[in-house]
Amino acid sequence: MPLGAHMSIAGGVANAILRGKSAGCETIQIFTKNSNRWRAKPLAPREIELFQAARRETGIDPILAHTSYLINLASPDEDLWEKSLNAFQVELERCVSLRIPYLIFHPGAHSSAGEEVGLNRVTQALNEVFERVEDTSVTVLIETTAGQGTGLGYSFEHIARLIEENFHPERLGVCFDTCHAFAAGYDLRTPDAFERTLEEFDKTIGFDRLKAVHLNDSKGGLGSRLDRHEHIGMGRIGLEGFRFLVNHPQLRLLPMVLETPKGPDMKEDVENLAVLRSLIEE
Ligand SMILES: [Zn+2]
Ligand SMILES: [Zn+2]
């Protein structure tokens, strides 16, 4: 089972892979550019070479990418929506260049426009991006969200609709974030509860769409709509939920990455990975 964590790209994208290796990751997630800025320098051929070499040397695979938090494909504001669309296109192209198979994004916030309008904006944006970027080697993963504020994607129905209404549903998949799903009201605390949540996922979206998992415990309670990540076993989901997850015959085959709080020495990642590995029943 590929287990890992989100890694910083400070000093270049290849460094994220080396950092991941040193923390004991088998898979990692990265931002392919500074996540707090709109603009990015194009990737230099040398950077891409170093990235591939680091991947070969460490065996870290697969590598996931997450889009910048500035992007809001659901925005009713024409300027922000255009800007988001262009930035999303750049991120997708960077993944193609780096041969990263999955790009994860949040559907976005509709602000005051309402969920209907917001979901339609996202579909319009994704259709436009897929038209601009013809290379289909990167699958775009819609992340389950906590539903803070006017955020979309907190219900499996939202995600199913985004896939069904796209002109290219085969280019879309799902990333299941445990903290977000729990905060959105999907119980994961016991094997029975987790099983019911997965059945609902399968019925609404389809299990085959699930391509990656974000491993986060939750500071907020069930249905709190709070997007606050906690260390594994220290939050409101608890160890039993994660034990079920890492031993699930289908889920355990998927890349799973931590997005829990940490300092520069990454000791928290090392600890969380040790906790998760201790839960695996051989
Ligand atoms: Zn995310
Ligand atoms: Zn996440």
Side-chain angles (χ1 to χ4, degrees):
M1 151 198 294
L3 276 181
H6 186 96
M7 286 291 144
S8 157
I9 57 162
V13 282
N15 285 1
I17 301 179
L18 304 176
R19 277 189 192 100
K21 185 69 185 174
S22 74
C25 296
E26 294 136 356
T27 176
I28 60 166
Q29 174 177 276
I30 62 170
F31 296 120
T32 68
K33 52 180 277 296
N34 186 321
S35 65
N36 299 312
R37 299 222 186 112
W38 283 105
R39 299 186 64 81
K41 264 195 309 187
L43 287 159
R46 180 76 188 137
E47 266 183 288
I48 297 173
E49 268 170 43
L50 286 170
F51 185 80
Q52 304 307 357
R55 171 144 67 180
R56 272 195 309 276
E57 281 157 25
T58 60
I60 287 187
D61 183 70
I63 294 172
L64 318 172
H66 193 295
T67 60
S68 157
Y69 295 122
L70 300 174
I71 290 176
N72 183 6
L73 299 181
S75 178
D77 178 294
E78 205 59 50
D79 288 342
L80 180 60
W81 187 80
E82 250 340 299
K83 216 171 165 179
S84 296
L85 188 67
N86 293 332
F88 196 100
Q89 177 187 349
V90 168
E91 296 223 21
L92 190 53
E93 287 165 345
R94 289 171 86 86
C95 288
V96 171
S97 304
L98 292 167
R99 287 193 272 123
I100 289 176
Y102 298 121
L103 176 62
I104 298 161
F105 82 109
H106 299 192
H110 63 75
S111 304
S112 54
E115 294 192 345
E116 276 302 300
V117 175
L119 289 166
N120 288 337
R121 295 291 269 179
V122 180
T123 294
Q124 196 188 338
L126 289 174
N127 280 333
E128 174 69 26
V129 168
F130 288 155
E131 199 165 306
R132 292 185 194 176
V133 182
E134 286 180 354
D135 187 300
T136 59
S137 60
V138 181
T139 303
V140 170
L141 304 187
I142 306 166
E143 182 170 347
T144 62
T145 67
Q148 272 198 168
T150 65
L152 300 164
Y154 60 85
S155 78
F156 295 161
E157 285 76 12
H158 282 180
I159 292 173
R161 177 168 153 183
L162 290 176
I163 295 171
E164 281 158 17
E165 294 190 351
N166 198 277
F167 292 149
H168 298 281
E170 73 285 356
R171 297 180 71 173
L172 290 169
V174 180
C175 173
F176 186 89
D177 185 306
T178 51
C179 166
H180 297 171
F182 183 72
Y186 295 105
D187 200 354
L188 310 171
R189 290 173 293 192
T190 64
D192 276 356
F194 212 133
E195 197 67 72
R196 277 196 302 276
T197 292
L198 287 183
E199 276 166 22
E200 194 167 336
F201 184 99
D202 190 36
K203 198 178 64 190
T204 313
I205 300 172
F207 210 81
D208 56 326
R209 293 285 181 189
L210 186 55
K211 304 296 180 195
V213 176
H214 284 167
L215 295 163
N216 304 304
D217 210 328
S218 174
K219 280 198 207 299
L222 179 67
S224 63
R225 298 278 191 102
L226 268 181
D227 182 358
R228 302 270 309 279
H229 299 183
E230 181 57 282
H231 297 293
I232 302 301
M234 313 274 272
R236 303 289 287 275
I237 297 174
L239 281 184
E240 287 319 297
F242 289 98
R243 189 193 305 280
F244 175 86
L245 177 57
V246 296
N247 289 293
H248 190 280
Q250 288 159 291
L251 292 174
R252 62 178 296 167
L253 305 174
L254 301 174
M256 300 195 188
V257 292
L258 293 159
E259 298 178 311
T260 41
K262 64 177 162 185
D265 64 359
M266 306 186 292
K267 71 171 174 7
E268 298 87 348
D269 283 345
V270 174
E271 284 164 18
N272 281 313
L273 288 171
V275 169
L276 287 162
R277 288 185 176 125
S278 77
L279 298 173
I280 298 172
E281 293 150 5
E282 293 304 335

